[in-house]
Amino acid sequence: MSANEMWGGRFAAGPAAVMQEINASIDVDRRFAAEDIRGSKAHAAMLADQGIISEADRDAILDGLDRVAAEIAEGRFAFKAELEDIHMNVEARLKELIGESAGRLHTARSRNDQVATDFRLWLRGALDGLDAAMADLQRALIDRAEAHADVLMPGYTHLQAAQPVTFGHHLLAYVEMVGRDRGRMADCRKRLNECPLGAAALAGTSFPIDREATARALGFDRPTANSMDSVAARDFALEFLAAASIHAVHLSRLAEEIVIWMSEPFGFVTLSDAFTTGSSIMPQKKNPDAAELVRAKPGRILGSFVALATVMKGLPMTYGKDMQEDKEPVFDAADNLLLATAAMAGMIDDLSPRPEAMRRALEKGFPTATDLADWLVRVLGLPFREAHHVTGALVRAAEEAGVDLAALDLPTMQAVESRITEDVYSVLTPEASAASRTSLGGTAPANVRAAAAAARKRFPETASGGRKGSAR
């Protein structure tokens, strides 16, 4: 069947070659093949149930669509650019297989509501796959947090040593971030789960269709409520891209930390050869390329959001051919986000902490200074602002002596604040500092273990049983 036959009698001549090239979308929307056939089967069944087509036509259509699906799955289907898109490619092949009955399939629908339905079906499946990958990342983080609940490291603000924290506590921060990301994706899935099929081109149809039936058959919660909105809306795709951008940023932050932790000045962690590469000329190099690539992903994913938002921003109701540009950004973002999430879960499973390097880093930057200030408030009753001033003076004295706070002698301390006693040294070790942070959400090892257990309950899909990384 030619493109002209599909269009009917309105056009006497075929399109110019360049028009065909710019107009065709089959190289992109062929990814909708399974969804397109699924939607067509639901539509055909509904048409027969409503008496709009005969049961014989329905059966021929359903059988033919199964044969088309098999050809596509087996790589035997010949996609044709002159047929423009997945919808016309499937329908043309259906006609070759079953004859004139194929022409009844498009009753009471348009490619406008057809593609909107395909897109929602595809994105719904992509969201489900992505949620499983995000849950696996949470599982990897929780596993590592439990295994390293007691490992001390510097916590940073402004990338300056601030206070002692535990490695497990640090990892659990990303469990919370990913949990919110999953919530945004779940919200997106909930809102997109309405069925546009039956809206037809934009105004609905005069045929007595049952949109509730097709929505149920395709697993949607309900039909869309307004036929114009049904074919015009792409906010579900924009919402996905916005949520995807946020998740990509979170992945990128964790990736950046891995890059920093693996750098020579830090040396806090190592990754195996499975997630690193070497240099073509420097044999000593072990580069965290997987982390660096994850770190880069927000650029293209946020770019996808901007691209689609720019396409949609000035479009009047309802469908414009501009909207053919809606799929590539979503496909690219979904593919890359799934890859980045899986790669990050793999890295966390593979990652080996180096507690001795983390502990050495706690000897710099006076990370127990806040504990000293808290002691002055708690034991001596100083107002915190005064305690802050006294602690600053003691830090300066320690800097001048070339020692940390725990090594500053008592007379020097008492020269700044005469009421300080030997008891102050009980809070000046990183171990004591971390153990004391028992407030809700704090870094104390006991808190970390409890928080990890609570996270498994809040996110039950993260129960250990996926990829297993040895607790290094």
Side-chain angles (χ1 to χ4, degrees), residues 332-400:
D332 188 77
D335 291 346
N336 280 278
L337 193 62
L338 182 62
L339 177 61
T341 304
M344 183 56 72
M347 279 187 280
I348 297 300
D349 276 330
D350 183 74
L351 183 146
S352 297
R354 298 178 64 199
E356 68 288 350
M358 296 179 182
R359 186 64 178 77
R360 282 196 301 271
L362 284 167
E363 297 170 5
K364 305 171 185 177
F366 309 102
T368 59
T370 303
D371 300 277
L372 173 56
D374 288 347
W375 184 91
L376 293 170
V377 170
R378 188 172 56 251
V379 176
L380 302 186
L382 270 62
F384 185 81
R385 286 302 171 200
E386 184 179 345
H388 188 283
H389 178 77
V390 170
T391 299
L394 292 172
V395 167
R396 184 169 61 250
E399 279 182 321
E400 292 170 354

Side-chain angles (χ1 to χ4, degrees), residues 98-434:
I98 70 170
E100 291 303 320
S101 292
R104 303 189 186 282
L105 173 60
H106 210 54
T107 306
R109 75 175 186 185
S110 161
R111 286 190 296 174
N112 294 355
D113 61 334
Q114 193 176 355
V115 70
T117 303
D118 290 357
F119 204 173
R120 289 176 187 244
L121 285 171
W122 185 91
L123 186 52
R124 192 175 70 188
L127 284 166
D128 291 344
L130 183 57
D131 184 70
M134 294 164 80
D136 190 49
L137 173 56
Q138 287 183 301
R139 187 271 316 153
L141 290 163
I142 295 169
D143 285 352
R144 278 282 185 257
E146 287 179 327
H148 303 293
D150 296 290
V151 173
L152 295 175
M153 66 178 294
Y156 295 92
T157 63
H158 309 278
L159 208 54
Q160 304 293 310
Q163 292 179 274
V165 297
T166 61
F167 187 55
H169 189 61
H170 196 129
L171 295 179
L172 288 179
Y174 287 97
V175 173
E176 297 303 315
M177 289 185 185
V178 177
R180 293 192 295 274
D181 294 339
R182 290 179 68 195
R184 277 181 279 270
M185 295 293 185
D187 287 346
C188 174
R189 191 191 191 285
K190 181 178 180 180
R191 268 183 287 277
L192 73 77
N193 205 36
E194 297 182 346
C195 184
L197 196 58
L202 77 160
T205 178
S206 59
F207 289 95
I209 62 173
D210 184 350
R211 293 190 62 209
E212 295 281 356
T214 48
R216 285 193 303 271
L218 295 171
F220 288 105
D221 293 331
R222 63 192 67 84
T224 50
N226 180 281
S227 63
M228 295 180 73
D229 175 60
S230 300
V231 299
R234 291 297 184 270
D235 54 329
F236 64 90
L238 286 168
E239 184 173 8
F240 164 70
L241 291 172
S245 297
I246 295 171
H247 181 50
V249 166
H250 287 159
L251 292 177
S252 185
R253 293 184 70 178
L254 180 52
E256 168 68 356
E257 300 218 80
I258 291 174
V259 172
I260 291 172
W261 292 342
M262 284 191 66
S263 67
E264 187 59 36
F266 285 79
F268 287 178
V269 302
T270 61
L271 287 171
S272 76
D273 294 348
F275 289 94
T276 56
T277 65
S279 165
S280 61
I281 65 169
M282 295 172 284
Q284 83 281 11
K285 296 293 292 298
K286 189 173 186 180
N287 301 322
D289 282 12
E292 290 171 350
L293 289 165
V294 170
R295 184 175 62 182
K297 291 301 182 185
R300 67 191 299 161
I301 293 171
L302 181 58
S304 292
F305 174 83
V306 173
L308 183 54
T310 303
V311 167
M312 298 301 300
K313 70 174 182 62
L315 295 186
M317 286 289 184
T318 53
Y319 182 85
K321 194 67 170 181
D322 318 52
M323 292 164 69
Q324 187 166 289
E325 296 294 318
D326 60 358
K327 299 162 200 68
E328 281 187 277
V330 172
F331 289 161
D332 188 77
D335 291 346
N336 280 278
L337 193 62
L338 182 62
L339 177 61
T341 304
M344 183 56 72
M347 279 187 280
I348 297 300
D349 276 330
D350 183 74
L351 183 146
S352 297
R354 298 178 64 199
E356 68 288 350
M358 296 179 182
R359 186 64 178 77
R360 282 196 301 271
L362 284 167
E363 297 170 5
K364 305 171 185 177
F366 309 102
T368 59
T370 303
D371 300 277
L372 173 56
D374 288 347
W375 184 91
L376 293 170
V377 170
R378 188 172 56 251
V379 176
L380 302 186
L382 270 62
F384 185 81
R385 286 302 171 200
E386 184 179 345
H388 188 283
H389 178 77
V390 170
T391 299
L394 292 172
V395 167
R396 184 169 61 250
E399 279 182 321
E400 292 170 354
V403 298
D404 62 20
L405 285 172
L408 199 63
D409 61 71
L410 187 60
T412 301
M413 288 192 181
Q414 290 175 334
V416 175
E417 170 51 64
S418 61
R419 291 173 291 170
I420 293 177
T421 67
E422 287 279 352
D423 180 63
V424 73
Y425 294 103
S426 67
V427 301
L428 295 182
T429 66
E431 290 78 8
S433 174

